[in-house]
Amino acid sequence: MTKFDCAIVGGGMIGAATAVALGDLGLKIALIEKFTPSNMAPLQPFDLRISAISIHSQQFLETLGAWQFIDLSRACQYNRLGVWEDDFAYTEFHCDEIGRSHLGYMVENKQIQLALWRVLRCHSNITQFCPDQLEQITEHERYLDIALESQSIQSTLILAADGANSQIRQLANIGLTGWDYGQSAMLINVKTALDTQDITWQKFYPTGPVAFLPMPDGHASLVWYHSKAEIKRLSGLSNDQLAHEVTKAFPNKLGNIEVLGKGAFDLTRRHANDYVKGKVVLLGDAAHTINPLAGQGVNLGFKDVKALQMAFAKALGEGQAFDDAKTLQAYEKARRPDNLMMMSGMDAIYNVFSHPSPVIKLVRNLGLFASQRAGKLKSKALAYACGIK
């Protein structure tokens, strides 16, 4: 039976990044993924799932050797972030405020996954079990027996990067705290009459925000938050009918649009009660899901991966076992407070801007008005959102 140091379940962006990050430390890695990633054709339509990759995440992907494989002709650099409710309180954040050339990139999730898979396939110490899936885990004192569909393997640790409905988290009986926001979000890929812009923006309405995420060649991804019933209704419309609804509901910054694709999902918050339990470690959405208001989900996941890599590197450098309980707790201690702070911050914004009181509305707009003129405080907030210390 083949033995590994770490078995990673889930080969998406976070799982693949974990495999590369720990493989770089010389550990023997098993990566278990149900679906073989399919290649992208140069002219295929943009995927619905895109991520706002922060500067910090871009730099991490560069250190892993993956960023060089991102096709930047299919990604969009953005330099500005606009936020407003009433026009007088429009607030804009610019990369110049933090001394950077840009704030981040809009990149298709699939591109990032494929770039990471190109890297991990070059590592002789990373074995891919794909397509394959986990059937059972049996824990022993020093190792785990892991039964896959294809065969059985042994591993010192099992790392869960298998998403919000993590099978590993459930098998480990790790509980969750969280709630359903009672809203859904719709993703809409559009072609705009305007040229590609260097700004991503978000406008708040009583029914929820609407957002614009720029993509290359006059394309964009729109995000529309609303009640579950309304998003269900919108999902049933034809693309032409939906384009008409978008024109009525979104700011006139879009110009004429053509809807190319759409999808929807419910908004929930979930936070694992433990990131580590015995020989099980949670990363990314398996550990936490966040309100997508500021697009921080995948960026928090990459921070998890980096923190785990650093905890393991420190232990190995000091001649300690990478799977020692203190090492694993150091990872959780490094990540839980930051994740919780970001989750709570997004919830605070969501709750403040969804409150119907005219007094609260005035206060929040005055707050936006003041933040536009907040100088260093504004710059520090922007730097934190970009992952810059």
Side-chain angles (χ1 to χ4, degrees):
M1 188 181 298
T2 309
K3 297 181 179 180
F4 295 91
D5 294 313
C6 297
I8 301 166
V9 180
M13 294 184 289
I14 302 307
T18 305
V20 176
L22 301 186
D24 284 345
L25 298 179
L27 298 176
K28 190 174 182 180
I29 306 297
L31 180 64
I32 304 159
E33 169 56 38
K34 289 183 182 180
F35 306 106
T36 304
S38 57
N39 292 325
M40 300 179 73
L43 299 179
Q44 76 177 62
F46 291 110
D47 282 357
L48 278 171
R49 292 287 186 176
I50 69 171
S51 292
I53 297 300
S54 69
I55 295 172
H56 177 273
S57 294
Q58 178 190 341
Q59 291 171 342
F60 184 53
L61 290 170
E62 287 172 350
T63 66
L64 297 181
W67 189 256
Q68 63 177 314
F69 297 121
I70 299 293
D71 180 0
L72 293 181
S73 71
R74 292 184 64 93
C76 185
Q77 177 180 301
Y78 63 97
N79 306 329
R80 297 178 292 149
L81 167 63
V83 182
W84 78 102
E85 182 176 22
D86 288 341
D87 288 344
F88 85 88
Y90 177 83
T91 301
E92 186 171 295
F93 300 86
H94 197 286
C95 59
D96 289 346
E97 297 174 47
I98 54 173
R100 301 290 173 139
S101 61
H102 59 286
L103 295 179
Y105 279 87
M106 298 294 175
V107 190
E108 294 158 290
N109 291 2
K110 190 173 182 181
Q111 263 226 80
I112 300 169
Q113 181 193 24
L114 288 171
L116 287 161
W117 273 73
R118 286 187 66 174
V119 178
L120 68 86
R121 283 172 173 149
C122 295
H123 283 63
S124 61
N125 56 329
I126 302 176
T127 303
Q128 305 101 51
F129 295 89
C130 178
D132 211 335
Q133 59 182 330
L134 181 142
E135 291 188 338
Q136 186 177 346
I137 305 171
T138 304
E139 184 168 348
H140 302 279
E141 184 178 353
R142 296 297 301 167
Y143 64 91
L144 300 162
D145 279 329
I146 300 173
L148 307 178
E149 278 190 338
S150 65
Q151 61 186 282
S152 293
I153 61 174
Q154 289 182 350
S155 180
T156 304
L157 294 175
I158 189 163
L159 311 182
D162 52 345
N165 297 314
S166 172
Q167 175 194 13
I168 306 304
R169 187 186 65 226
Q170 294 173 40
L171 289 174
N173 292 316
I174 298 175
L176 293 169
T177 56
W179 51 80
D180 187 320
Y181 291 101
Q183 279 199 316
S184 295
M186 191 172 195
L187 305 176
I188 311 169
N189 278 2
V190 300
K191 173 75 174 176
T192 74
L194 304 174
D195 291 334
T196 297
Q197 302 179 55
D198 71 342
I199 186 171
T200 177
W201 51 255
Q202 191 159 241
K203 177 175 171 59
F204 289 90
Y205 290 98
T207 53
V210 298
F212 170 87
L213 314 178
M215 291 297 284
D217 302 323
H219 289 79
S221 176
L222 308 180
V223 189
W224 192 345
Y225 300 77
H226 214 295
S227 67
K228 292 183 178 181
E230 178 63 3
I231 294 298
K232 183 177 181 180
R233 182 188 75 82
L234 293 170
S235 298
L237 300 179
S238 69
N239 285 355
D240 288 342
Q241 290 171 326
L242 182 58
H244 179 67
E245 294 285 345
V246 168
T247 301
K248 290 193 303 181
F250 275 64
N252 59 12
K253 294 175 176 286
L254 293 178
N256 294 326
I257 64 162
E258 174 188 1
V259 172
L260 305 176
K262 58 184 183 289
F265 59 93
D266 293 336
L267 300 181
T268 59
R269 166 175 165 159
R270 299 288 184 269
H271 201 190
N273 295 337
D274 299 287
Y275 290 7
V276 175
K277 186 174 182 181
K279 300 180 184 303
V280 176
V281 180
L282 309 184
L283 301 103
D285 284 354
H288 46 79
T289 58
I290 185 173
N291 192 308
L293 272 176
Q296 289 296 316
V298 71
N299 295 310
L300 293 181
F302 285 137
K303 285 184 175 182
D304 291 350
V305 179
K306 184 175 180 180
L308 187 65
Q309 182 193 43
M310 292 179 67
F312 280 15
K314 183 176 186 294
L316 292 170
E318 295 175 352
Q320 304 298 318
F322 68 90
D323 63 320
D324 184 83
K326 290 183 179 180
T327 300
L328 301 181
Q329 288 302 321
Y331 155 69
E332 177 160 358
K333 185 177 180 181
R335 292 305 306 141
R336 177 175 286 277
D338 184 53
N339 289 331
L340 186 58
M341 182 182 296
M342 184 64 76
M343 294 169 78
S344 300
M346 292 304 100
D347 284 348
I349 294 171
Y350 178 86
N351 290 329
V352 166
F353 278 92
S354 61
H355 200 289
S357 166
V359 175
I360 298 297
K361 179 179 179 180
L362 176 62
V363 170
R364 66 192 178 222
N365 276 278
L366 288 174
L368 282 175
F369 181 83
S371 68
Q372 178 65 11
R373 295 151 181 82
K376 289 185 178 180
L377 185 61
K378 180 186 174 191
S379 298
K380 286 183 178 180
L382 181 59
Y384 175 72
C386 292
I388 301 169
K389 293 184 178 179

